[in-house]
Coordinates of all heavy atoms in Angstrom, one line a residue:
T1 N 9.1 14.0 -3.7 CA 8.9 13.2 -4.9 C 9.4 11.7 -4.6 O 8.7 10.7 -4.9 CB 9.6 13.7 -6.1 OG1 9.2 15.0 -6.4 CG2 9.4 12.8 -7.3
G2 N 10.5 11.6 -3.9 CA 11.0 10.3 -3.5 C 10.1 9.6 -2.6 O 9.8 8.4 -2.8
A3 N 9.6 10.3 -1.6 CA 8.6 9.6 -0.7 C 7.3 9.2 -1.4 O 6.7 8.2 -1.0 CB 8.4 10.6 0.5
F4 N 6.9 10.0 -2.3 CA 5.7 9.7 -3.1 C 5.9 8.4 -3.9 O 5.0 7.5 -3.9 CB 5.3 10.9 -4.0 CG 4.2 11.7 -3.4 CD1 4.4 12.8 -2.7 CD2 2.8 11.4 -3.7 CE1 3.4 13.6 -2.1 CE2 1.8 12.1 -3.1 CZ 2.1 13.3 -2.4
F5 N 7.0 8.3 -4.6 CA 7.2 7.1 -5.4 C 7.3 5.9 -4.5 O 6.8 4.8 -4.8 CB 8.5 7.3 -6.2 CG 8.3 8.0 -7.5 CD1 8.9 9.2 -7.8 CD2 7.4 7.5 -8.5 CE1 8.7 9.9 -9.0 CE2 7.2 8.1 -9.7 CZ 7.9 9.3 -9.9
A6 N 8.0 6.1 -3.3 CA 8.2 5.0 -2.4 C 6.8 4.5 -1.8 O 6.6 3.4 -1.5 CB 9.1 5.4 -1.3
S7 N 5.9 5.5 -1.6 CA 4.6 5.2 -1.0 C 3.8 4.1 -1.8 O 3.0 3.4 -1.3 CB 3.7 6.5 -0.9 OG 3.3 6.9 -2.2
I8 N 4.1 4.1 -3.1 CA 3.3 3.1 -4.0 C 3.6 1.7 -3.5 O 2.7 0.8 -3.5 CB 3.8 3.2 -5.4 CG1 3.5 4.6 -5.9 CG2 3.1 2.2 -6.3 CD1 4.2 5.0 -7.2
F9 N 4.8 1.4 -3.0 CA 5.2 0.1 -2.5 C 5.2 0.0 -1.0 O 4.8 -1.0 -0.4 CB 6.6 -0.3 -3.0 CG 6.7 -0.1 -4.5 CD1 7.3 1.0 -5.1 CD2 6.2 -1.1 -5.4 CE1 7.4 1.2 -6.5 CE2 6.3 -0.9 -6.8 CZ 6.9 0.2 -7.3
L10 N 5.5 1.1 -0.3 CA 5.6 1.1 1.2 C 4.3 1.0 1.8 O 4.1 0.4 2.8 CB 6.4 2.3 1.7 CG 7.9 2.2 1.5 CD1 8.6 3.5 2.0 CD2 8.5 1.0 2.2
A11 N 3.3 1.8 1.2 CA 2.0 1.8 1.8 C 1.3 0.4 2.0 O 0.8 0.0 3.0 CB 1.0 2.8 1.1
P12 N 1.3 -0.4 0.9 CA 0.7 -1.7 1.0 C 1.5 -2.6 2.0 O 0.9 -3.3 2.8 CB 0.9 -2.3 -0.4 CG 0.9 -1.1 -1.3 CD 1.6 -0.1 -0.5
F13 N 2.8 -2.4 2.0 CA 3.7 -3.2 3.0 C 3.4 -2.8 4.4 O 3.2 -3.7 5.3 CB 5.2 -3.0 2.6 CG 6.1 -3.6 3.7 CD1 6.4 -4.9 3.6 CD2 6.7 -2.8 4.6 CE1 7.2 -5.5 4.6 CE2 7.5 -3.4 5.6 CZ 7.8 -4.7 5.6
I14 N 3.3 -1.5 4.7 CA 3.1 -1.1 6.1 C 1.7 -1.5 6.6 O 1.6 -2.1 7.7 CB 3.2 0.5 6.1 CG1 4.7 0.9 5.9 CG2 2.7 1.0 7.5 CD1 4.9 2.3 5.7
V15 N 0.7 -1.3 5.8 CA -0.7 -1.7 6.2 C -0.8 -3.2 6.3 O -1.4 -3.7 7.3 CB -1.7 -1.2 5.2 CG1 -3.1 -1.7 5.5 CG2 -1.7 0.4 5.1
N16 N -0.3 -3.9 5.4 CA -0.3 -5.4 5.5 C 0.4 -5.9 6.7 O 0.0 -6.9 7.4 CB 0.2 -6.0 4.3 CG 0.0 -7.5 4.2 OD1 -1.1 -8.0 4.3 ND2 1.1 -8.3 4.1
T17 N 1.6 -5.3 7.1 CA 2.4 -5.7 8.2 C 1.7 -5.4 9.5 O 1.7 -6.3 10.4 CB 3.8 -5.0 8.2 OG1 4.4 -5.4 6.9 CG2 4.6 -5.5 9.3
F18 N 1.2 -4.2 9.7 CA 0.6 -3.8 11.0 C -0.9 -4.0 11.1 O -1.4 -3.8 12.2 CB 1.0 -2.4 11.3 CG 2.5 -2.2 11.5 CD1 3.3 -1.7 10.4 CD2 3.1 -2.5 12.7 CE1 4.7 -1.6 10.6 CE2 4.5 -2.4 12.9 CZ 5.3 -1.9 11.8
A19 N -1.6 -4.4 10.1 CA -3.0 -4.6 10.2 C -3.3 -6.0 9.6 O -4.3 -6.2 9.0 CB -3.8 -3.5 9.4
N20 N -2.3 -6.9 9.7 CA -2.5 -8.3 9.2 C -3.7 -9.0 9.8 O -3.9 -8.9 11.0 CB -1.2 -9.0 9.4 CG -1.1 -10.3 8.7 OD1 -1.7 -10.4 7.6 ND2 -0.4 -11.3 9.2
G21 N -4.4 -9.7 9.0 CA -5.5 -10.4 9.5 C -6.8 -9.7 9.4 O -7.9 -10.2 9.9
Q22 N -6.8 -8.5 8.9 CA -8.0 -7.7 8.8 C -8.8 -7.8 7.5 O -9.7 -7.0 7.2 CB -7.7 -6.2 9.1 CG -7.2 -5.9 10.5 CD -8.1 -6.5 11.5 OE1 -9.3 -6.1 11.6 NE2 -7.6 -7.3 12.4
G23 N -8.3 -8.8 6.7 CA -9.0 -9.0 5.4 C -8.6 -8.0 4.3 O -9.2 -7.9 3.3
I24 N -7.6 -7.2 4.6 CA -7.1 -6.2 3.7 C -6.0 -6.8 2.8 O -5.0 -7.3 3.3 CB -6.5 -4.9 4.4 CG1 -7.6 -4.4 5.4 CG2 -6.1 -3.9 3.4 CD1 -8.8 -3.9 4.7
K25 N -6.2 -6.9 1.5 CA -5.2 -7.4 0.6 C -4.3 -6.3 0.1 O -4.8 -5.2 -0.2 CB -5.9 -8.1 -0.6 CG -6.8 -9.3 -0.2 CD -7.5 -9.8 -1.4 CE -8.5 -11.0 -1.0 NZ -9.2 -11.6 -2.1
P26 N -3.0 -6.6 0.0 CA -2.0 -5.6 -0.5 C -2.4 -5.1 -1.8 O -2.2 -3.9 -2.1 CB -0.7 -6.4 -0.6 CG -0.9 -7.5 0.5 CD -2.3 -7.9 0.5
I27 N -3.1 -5.9 -2.7 CA -3.4 -5.4 -4.0 C -4.5 -4.3 -3.9 O -4.5 -3.4 -4.8 CB -4.0 -6.6 -4.9 CG1 -4.1 -6.1 -6.3 CG2 -5.3 -7.1 -4.3 CD1 -2.8 -5.8 -7.0
Q28 N -5.3 -4.3 -2.9 CA -6.3 -3.3 -2.7 C -5.6 -1.9 -2.5 O -6.0 -0.9 -3.1 CB -7.2 -3.5 -1.5 CG -8.2 -4.7 -1.6 CD -9.0 -4.9 -0.4 OE1 -8.6 -5.8 0.5 NE2 -10.0 -4.1 -0.1
I29 N -4.6 -2.0 -1.6 CA -3.9 -0.7 -1.3 C -3.1 -0.3 -2.5 O -2.9 0.9 -2.8 CB -3.0 -0.9 -0.1 CG1 -3.8 -1.6 1.0 CG2 -2.5 0.4 0.4 CD1 -3.0 -2.2 2.1
F30 N -2.5 -1.3 -3.2 CA -1.7 -0.9 -4.4 C -2.5 -0.2 -5.4 O -2.1 0.8 -6.0 CB -1.0 -2.2 -5.0 CG -0.1 -1.9 -6.1 CD1 1.2 -1.4 -5.9 CD2 -0.5 -2.2 -7.4 CE1 2.0 -1.2 -6.9 CE2 0.4 -1.9 -8.5 CZ 1.6 -1.4 -8.2
V31 N -3.7 -0.7 -5.6 CA -4.7 -0.1 -6.6 C -5.0 1.3 -6.1 O -5.0 2.3 -7.0 CB -6.0 -0.9 -6.8 CG1 -7.0 -0.1 -7.6 CG2 -5.6 -2.2 -7.5
T32 N -5.2 1.5 -4.8 CA -5.5 2.8 -4.3 C -4.3 3.8 -4.6 O -4.5 5.0 -4.9 CB -5.7 2.8 -2.8 OG1 -6.9 1.9 -2.5 CG2 -6.0 4.1 -2.2
M33 N -3.1 3.3 -4.4 CA -1.9 4.1 -4.6 C -1.8 4.5 -6.1 O -1.4 5.6 -6.4 CB -0.6 3.4 -4.2 CG -0.6 2.9 -2.8 SD -0.9 4.3 -1.6 CE 0.5 5.4 -1.9
I34 N -2.2 3.6 -7.0 CA -2.2 3.9 -8.4 C -3.2 5.0 -8.7 O -2.9 6.0 -9.4 CB -2.5 2.7 -9.3 CG1 -1.5 1.6 -9.1 CG2 -2.7 3.1 -10.8 CD1 -0.1 2.0 -9.7
Q35 N -4.4 4.9 -8.1 CA -5.5 5.9 -8.3 C -5.1 7.2 -7.7 O -5.5 8.3 -8.4 CB -6.8 5.4 -7.7 CG -7.4 4.2 -8.4 CD -8.5 3.6 -7.6 OE1 -8.6 3.6 -6.4 NE2 -9.6 3.1 -8.3
L36 N -4.5 7.3 -6.6 CA -4.3 8.5 -5.9 C -2.9 9.1 -5.9 O -2.7 10.2 -5.3 CB -4.8 8.3 -4.4 CG -6.3 8.0 -4.3 CD1 -6.6 7.8 -2.8 CD2 -7.2 9.1 -4.9

């Protein structure tokens, strides 16, 4: 449960940090985390 809650914020941060410059906006991933 802790890791799931953290994923809402960590997933956008991780993808944005290691895939920077790929046109992926953190808000896109954040919306995905809300949905899923």
Side-chain angles (χ1 to χ4, degrees):
T1 303
F4 259 91
F5 277 118
S7 70
I8 300 165
F9 307 101
L10 286 178
F13 173 77
I14 291 169
V15 173
N16 189 57
T17 299
F18 293 99
N20 192 26
Q22 296 307 302
I24 306 298
K25 297 178 181 179
I27 190 64
Q28 289 177 263
I29 312 163
F30 185 76
V31 169
T32 299
M33 300 309 294
I34 297 295
Q35 292 173 323
L36 297 179

